[in-house]
Amino acid sequence: MENLNMSELKAVASRCSQYSPMGGNQFTSSAGQNEESCSKCEHYENSKCTLDLIDQIKSNMQ
Ligand code: SF4
């Protein structure tokens, strides 16, 4: 699978129903860094989605 850049990872995560931020505690920072991204998702390992949803979501985006 091709590597995705940060904006693609954000676009995918914002459309993903399985997005699950790592760490568990979703505290909102005052800096407003609350963006969704696959890189923050617990299903994202070794630059890919362990649920194999990235390709599906990407193809739905086109
Ligand atoms: S890593 Fe997978 S499960 Fe997580 S947001 Fe991205 S596509 Fe969805």
Side-chain angles (χ1 to χ4, degrees), residues 12-13 16 18-20 37-38 41 43-44 49-51 53-54 57:
V12 170
C16 181
Q18 299 302 312
Y19 175 62
S20 177
S37 168
C38 288
C41 178
H43 302 300
Y44 190 69
C49 176
T50 58
L51 304 180
L53 291 173
I54 289 178
I57 293 169

